[in-house]
Coordinates of all heavy atoms in Angstrom, one line a residue:
Chain A
P36 N -12.1 -4.6 -22.8 CA -12.3 -5.7 -21.9 C -11.2 -5.8 -20.8 O -10.1 -5.2 -20.8 CB -12.1 -6.9 -22.8 CG -11.1 -6.4 -23.8 CD -11.5 -5.0 -24.0
Y37 N -11.6 -6.4 -19.6 CA -10.5 -6.9 -18.8 C -10.5 -8.5 -19.0 O -11.6 -9.2 -19.1 CB -11.0 -6.6 -17.3 CG -10.7 -5.2 -16.8 CD1 -10.6 -4.2 -17.5 CD2 -10.9 -5.0 -15.4 CE1 -10.4 -3.0 -17.1 CE2 -10.7 -3.8 -14.9 CZ -10.3 -2.6 -15.7 OH -10.2 -1.5 -15.2
L38 N -9.3 -9.0 -19.1 CA -9.2 -10.4 -19.4 C -8.4 -11.2 -18.4 O -7.4 -10.6 -17.9 CB -8.5 -10.5 -20.8 CG -9.4 -10.0 -21.9 CD1 -8.5 -9.7 -23.1 CD2 -10.5 -11.0 -22.3
F39 N -8.8 -12.4 -18.1 CA -8.1 -13.2 -17.1 C -7.8 -14.5 -17.5 O -8.5 -15.1 -18.4 CB -9.1 -13.3 -15.9 CG -9.6 -12.0 -15.3 CD1 -10.6 -11.3 -15.9 CD2 -8.9 -11.5 -14.2 CE1 -11.0 -10.1 -15.4 CE2 -9.4 -10.2 -13.6 CZ -10.5 -9.6 -14.2
W40 N -6.8 -15.1 -17.1 CA -6.5 -16.6 -17.2 C -6.5 -17.2 -15.8 O -5.8 -16.7 -14.9 CB -5.2 -16.9 -17.9 CG -5.3 -16.9 -19.3 CD1 -4.9 -15.9 -20.3 CD2 -5.7 -17.9 -20.2 NE1 -5.1 -16.3 -21.6 CE2 -5.5 -17.6 -21.6 CE3 -6.3 -19.3 -19.9 CZ2 -5.9 -18.4 -22.7 CZ3 -6.5 -20.1 -21.0 CH2 -6.4 -19.6 -22.4
Y41 N -7.2 -18.2 -15.7 CA -7.2 -19.0 -14.3 C -6.8 -20.5 -14.7 O -7.1 -21.0 -15.8 CB -8.7 -19.1 -13.8 CG -9.1 -17.7 -13.1 CD1 -9.7 -16.8 -13.8 CD2 -9.0 -17.7 -11.7 CE1 -10.2 -15.5 -13.1 CE2 -9.4 -16.5 -11.0 CZ -10.0 -15.5 -11.8 OH -10.3 -14.4 -11.1
V42 N -6.3 -21.0 -13.6 CA -6.0 -22.5 -13.7 C -6.8 -23.3 -12.7 O -6.9 -22.8 -11.6 CB -4.5 -22.7 -13.6 CG1 -4.0 -22.2 -12.2 CG2 -4.1 -24.3 -13.7
Q43 N -7.1 -24.5 -13.0 CA -8.0 -25.4 -12.0 C -7.4 -26.7 -12.1 O -7.3 -27.3 -13.1 CB -9.4 -25.3 -12.5 CG -10.3 -26.1 -11.6 CD -11.7 -26.0 -11.9 OE1 -12.2 -26.1 -13.0 NE2 -12.6 -26.0 -10.9
Y44 N -7.0 -27.1 -10.9 CA -6.5 -28.5 -10.7 C -7.6 -29.4 -10.2 O -8.7 -28.7 -9.7 CB -5.3 -28.5 -9.6 CG -4.2 -27.6 -10.1 CD1 -4.0 -26.4 -9.7 CD2 -3.3 -28.2 -10.9 CE1 -2.8 -25.6 -10.1 CE2 -2.2 -27.5 -11.5 CZ -2.0 -26.3 -10.9 OH -0.9 -25.5 -11.4
P45 N -7.5 -30.6 -10.3 CA -8.7 -31.4 -10.1 C -9.3 -31.3 -8.7 O -8.6 -31.1 -7.7 CB -8.1 -32.9 -10.3 CG -7.0 -32.7 -11.2 CD -6.4 -31.4 -11.0
N46 N -10.6 -31.2 -8.6 CA -11.3 -31.0 -7.5 C -10.9 -29.7 -6.5 O -11.1 -29.8 -5.4 CB -11.2 -32.3 -6.6 CG -11.7 -33.4 -7.3 OD1 -12.9 -33.4 -7.8 ND2 -11.1 -34.6 -7.4
Q47 N -10.5 -28.8 -7.3 CA -10.1 -27.6 -6.6 C -10.8 -26.3 -7.3 O -11.3 -26.4 -8.4 CB -8.6 -27.3 -6.6 CG -7.8 -28.4 -5.8 CD -6.2 -28.1 -5.7 OE1 -5.9 -26.9 -5.9 NE2 -5.5 -29.0 -5.5
G48 N -10.7 -25.2 -6.7 CA -11.2 -24.0 -7.2 C -10.3 -23.5 -8.2 O -9.3 -24.1 -8.6
L49 N -10.6 -22.3 -8.6 CA -9.8 -21.6 -9.7 C -8.7 -20.7 -9.0 O -9.0 -20.0 -8.1 CB -10.6 -20.8 -10.6 CG -11.4 -21.6 -11.7 CD1 -12.6 -22.4 -11.1 CD2 -11.9 -20.6 -12.8
Q50 N -7.5 -20.7 -9.7 CA -6.4 -19.9 -9.2 C -6.1 -18.9 -10.3 O -5.8 -19.3 -11.4 CB -5.2 -20.7 -8.9 CG -4.0 -19.9 -8.3 CD -2.8 -20.7 -8.1 OE1 -2.8 -22.0 -8.2 NE2 -1.8 -20.2 -7.6
L51 N -5.9 -17.6 -10.0 CA -5.5 -16.6 -11.1 C -4.1 -16.8 -11.5 O -3.2 -16.9 -10.7 CB -5.8 -15.2 -10.5 CG -5.5 -14.2 -11.4 CD1 -6.5 -14.0 -12.5 CD2 -5.3 -12.7 -10.6
L52 N -3.9 -16.9 -12.8 CA -2.6 -16.9 -13.3 C -2.1 -15.5 -13.7 O -1.0 -15.2 -13.3 CB -2.6 -17.7 -14.7 CG -2.6 -19.2 -14.5 CD1 -2.6 -19.8 -15.9 CD2 -1.3 -19.7 -13.9
L53 N -3.1 -14.8 -14.4 CA -2.7 -13.3 -14.7 C -3.8 -12.7 -15.2 O -5.0 -13.3 -15.4 CB -1.6 -13.4 -15.9 CG -1.8 -14.3 -17.1 CD1 -2.8 -13.7 -18.1 CD2 -0.5 -14.6 -17.7
K54 N -3.7 -11.3 -15.4 CA -4.9 -10.6 -15.8 C -4.4 -9.4 -16.6 O -3.4 -8.8 -16.5 CB -5.8 -10.1 -14.5 CG -5.0 -9.1 -13.7 CD -5.9 -8.7 -12.6 CE -5.2 -7.7 -11.6 NZ -6.1 -7.2 -10.4
Y55 N -5.3 -8.9 -17.5 CA -5.0 -7.7 -18.3 C -6.1 -6.7 -18.0 O -7.3 -7.0 -18.0 CB -5.1 -8.0 -19.8 CG -5.2 -6.9 -20.7 CD1 -4.1 -6.0 -20.9 CD2 -6.4 -6.4 -21.2 CE1 -4.3 -4.8 -21.6 CE2 -6.6 -5.3 -22.0 CZ -5.5 -4.4 -22.2 OH -5.6 -3.4 -22.9
T56 N -5.7 -5.5 -17.6 CA -6.7 -4.4 -17.2 C -6.4 -3.3 -17.8 O -6.4 -2.1 -17.2 CB -6.8 -4.4 -15.7 OG1 -5.5 -4.0 -15.2 CG2 -7.3 -5.7 -15.0
S57 N -6.1 -3.1 -19.1 CA -5.8 -2.0 -20.0 C -4.5 -1.3 -19.6 O -4.4 -0.2 -20.1 CB -6.9 -1.0 -19.8 OG -6.9 -0.3 -18.7
A58 N -3.6 -2.0 -19.0 CA -2.3 -1.3 -18.8 C -1.4 -2.0 -20.0 O -1.6 -1.9 -21.1 CB -1.7 -1.6 -17.5
A59 N -0.3 -2.6 -19.7 CA 0.7 -3.1 -20.6 C -0.1 -4.4 -21.3 O -0.7 -5.2 -20.7 CB 2.0 -3.7 -19.9
T60 N 0.2 -4.4 -22.6 CA -0.5 -5.5 -23.4 C 0.2 -6.8 -23.2 O -0.5 -7.9 -23.4 CB -0.4 -5.2 -24.9 OG1 1.0 -5.0 -25.3 CG2 -1.2 -3.9 -25.2
L61 N 1.5 -6.9 -22.7 CA 2.2 -8.2 -22.4 C 2.0 -8.3 -20.9 O 2.7 -7.5 -20.2 CB 3.6 -8.1 -22.9 CG 4.3 -9.5 -22.7 CD1 3.5 -10.7 -23.4 CD2 5.7 -9.5 -23.1
V62 N 1.4 -9.3 -20.5 CA 1.1 -9.5 -19.0 C 2.0 -10.7 -18.6 O 1.8 -11.8 -19.2 CB -0.4 -9.7 -18.8 CG1 -0.6 -9.8 -17.2 CG2 -1.1 -8.5 -19.3
K63 N 2.6 -10.6 -17.4 CA 3.4 -11.8 -16.9 C 2.6 -12.2 -15.6 O 2.1 -11.4 -14.8 CB 4.8 -11.4 -16.6 CG 5.6 -11.0 -17.7 CD 7.1 -10.8 -17.4 CE 7.8 -10.3 -18.7 NZ 7.9 -11.5 -19.7
G64 N 2.5 -13.6 -15.5 CA 1.8 -14.1 -14.4 C 2.7 -15.0 -13.5 O 4.0 -14.9 -13.7
I65 N 1.9 -15.9 -12.7 CA 2.7 -16.8 -12.0 C 3.1 -18.0 -12.7 O 2.6 -18.3 -13.8 CB 1.8 -17.2 -10.8 CG1 0.7 -18.0 -11.2 CG2 1.5 -16.0 -9.9 CD1 -0.2 -18.6 -10.1
N66 N 4.1 -18.8 -12.1 CA 4.6 -20.1 -12.6 C 5.2 -19.9 -14.2 O 5.1 -20.9 -14.8 CB 3.4 -21.1 -12.7 CG 3.0 -21.3 -11.3 OD1 3.6 -21.1 -10.3 ND2 1.7 -21.9 -11.2
G67 N 5.7 -18.8 -14.5 CA 6.2 -18.6 -15.7 C 5.3 -18.3 -17.0 O 5.8 -18.2 -18.1
F68 N 4.1 -18.2 -16.7 CA 3.0 -17.8 -17.7 C 3.0 -16.5 -18.1 O 3.3 -15.6 -17.2 CB 1.7 -18.4 -17.3 CG 1.5 -19.9 -17.4 CD1 1.8 -20.7 -16.2 CD2 1.1 -20.5 -18.5 CE1 1.7 -22.0 -16.3 CE2 0.9 -21.8 -18.6 CZ 1.3 -22.6 -17.5

Side-chain angles (χ1 to χ4, degrees):
Chain A
Y37 283 12
L38 293 158
F39 304 80
W40 275 100
Y41 282 86
V42 61
Q43 186 176 36
Y44 297 99
N46 298 314
Q47 294 187 26
L49 281 74
Q50 179 183 6
L51 180 71
L52 282 176
L53 48 80
K54 65 179 180 180
Y55 166 77
T56 57
S57 73
T60 56
L61 182 62
V62 181
K63 294 186 183 298
I65 63 171
N66 302 338
F68 285 94

